[in-house]
Amino acid sequence: IRDRSNIFIQSYVTELTELTFYYMNLVTVSRLQRNPTVKSEIQMRNFETSIPVGFFCYPISQAADITAFHATTVPVGEDQMPMLEQTKEIVHKFNAVYGETLTDPQILLPENKACLRLPGTDGKAKMSKSLGNIVSPDDIVRDYGCDALRLYELFIGPPELDSIWDDRGIDGIYRFITRFWNLVMDNKDKGVAETKESVKLRHKMVYDITQRLETFSLNTVISGFMEYNNKMIEMAKKDGIDKETLKTAVVLLAPFAPHLGEELWRQLGETDSVFHTTWPSADADAMKDDEIEIAVQINGKTKAVVKVPAEVSKEDAIIAGKEALGDKLAGTVVKEIYVPGKIINIVVKPN
């Protein structure tokens, strides 16, 4: 699971300390004031004659983070461009002295110019501390927890598109977390045996979440968790849900909600970290449906839907389709078409 997690404990990265001290010698007032956001903040607070050290710490720490983790591409908004340009300058100076040691990060600007900066909470101006239209992460963490904040930031939309913060959205995420917590806690000790349906649901969940994650469609990853959480809740209401399916769901969710994942992993009886387990794999055979629903058409227009075995023959599918149509099928049958797993189409002409 580690290779699918993006969790860094910065104190473990020894290069950060060395790079931070080195960069402190390179960040100057003139470089600092290239950033229009920082420059306006300094002017607004009348810091031109004596700039607090905190203003220097931010670009230093950002440059150290980017280079210590060998970032090759960094997505930014227009207000962050000067910081990235400064980082690139530092990398060039460092490499000129010590050889090709640091990775030169490439700047990635969103194609949609509307999201070069995140819109503020007022919906009119871009998010900015000086305009007072920002969202305080401290307040969100206090009220909802940092896992809810992390999930909502991923769920709010694709990173390349414009997004507006909506408190109702994080309320929804918090409800999802609460429902998932209750699902695990209510069913973890019931000793329910796995069924064919629960195994199928488990492997479909692994397949869908993995596919979305590998295509970097993170907002659909989170919506996928919500969909499967609803399905597991319905399954638990009917026949109960087995512990292995609950464990699989926790492992999948852990990289996105690590605190929730670790706690539920312990509640499920595990003693090691959830991040020491392996990412689950999907079994294609286990995901197969015994029955499938197929649209039944007359002259290309859908008139009914019929359930048939997944491996049904053309002859049996046509028979089932005609039975489903009943009195709707009138006239002389000219042609019978069966597209496996998709449609049954009966072509008729009036008598």
Side-chain angles (χ1 to χ4, degrees), residues 14-33:
T14 55
E15 294 96 326
L16 268 178
T17 303
E18 299 172 20
L19 291 171
T20 299
F21 277 106
Y22 180 82
Y23 297 160
M24 285 173 66
N25 296 318
L26 298 178
V27 177
T28 63
V29 173
S30 60
R31 275 206 179 99
L32 189 68
Q33 292 190 335

Side-chain angles (χ1 to χ4, degrees), residues 26-192:
L26 298 178
V27 177
T28 63
V29 173
S30 60
R31 275 206 179 99
L32 189 68
Q33 292 190 335
R34 289 183 198 171
N35 188 324
T37 303
V38 175
K39 186 175 181 179
S40 62
E41 188 83 5
I42 290 172
Q43 292 173 344
M44 183 181 69
R45 298 180 183 275
N46 298 318
F47 286 153
E48 287 94 340
T49 55
S50 179
I51 300 176
V53 69
F55 282 90
F56 293 91
C57 291
Y58 177 71
I60 292 170
S61 64
Q62 290 296 304
D65 283 350
I66 290 167
T67 50
F69 291 118
H70 308 287
T72 56
T73 305
V74 182
V76 296
E78 60 182 5
D79 58 327
Q80 297 166 314
M81 281 281 291
M83 184 266 291
L84 258 295
E85 290 169 351
Q86 178 173 274
T87 300
K88 290 172 70 67
E89 285 183 16
I90 290 172
V91 168
H92 293 159
K93 284 184 174 292
F94 190 97
N95 288 347
V97 177
Y98 299 104
E100 295 299 317
T101 306
L102 300 178
T103 303
D104 183 11
Q106 299 306 304
I107 298 172
L108 177 63
L109 284 170
E111 294 182 5
N112 180 3
K113 292 185 178 180
C115 62
L116 286 173
R117 290 185 67 185
L118 186 65
T121 53
D122 54 10
K124 298 176 182 178
K126 299 300 181 182
M127 193 173 284
S128 169
K129 287 187 290 185
S130 60
L131 295 175
N133 61 355
I134 65 170
V135 176
S136 169
D138 292 338
D139 294 342
I140 298 298
V141 170
R142 181 196 63 220
D143 296 338
Y144 299 97
C146 53
D147 280 346
L149 174 58
R150 182 182 289 106
L151 288 174
Y152 181 58
E153 287 180 328
L154 296 174
F155 178 69
I156 197 171
E160 70 274 11
L161 298 180
D162 200 4
S163 300
I164 297 177
W165 184 274
D166 187 344
D167 287 339
R168 291 172 297 179
I170 199 163
D171 284 334
I173 291 290
Y174 188 72
R175 286 195 297 272
F176 156 68
I177 290 176
T178 302
R179 295 181 77 210
F180 183 69
W181 171 272
N182 292 337
L183 171 71
V184 175
M185 296 301 289
D186 292 345
N187 293 276
K188 65 186 180 72
D189 298 322
K190 288 186 176 180
V192 176

Side-chain angles (χ1 to χ4, degrees), residues 200-210 224-225 228-229 232 245-246 248-250 252 287:
K200 184 196 301 183
L201 176 68
R202 183 197 314 159
H203 286 275
K204 281 188 173 182
M205 175 171 60
V206 171
Y207 177 81
D208 284 344
I209 296 300
T210 303
F225 282 127
Y228 279 99
N229 190 48
M232 289 188 290
T245 299
L246 294 175
T248 300
V250 170
L252 293 172
M287 290 190 290

Side-chain angles (χ1 to χ4, degrees), residues 328-342:
K328 296 176 184 176
L329 185 60
T332 303
V333 175
V334 177
K335 193 174 184 180
E336 299 171 341
I337 302 169
Y338 173 55
V339 180
K342 295 183 178 179

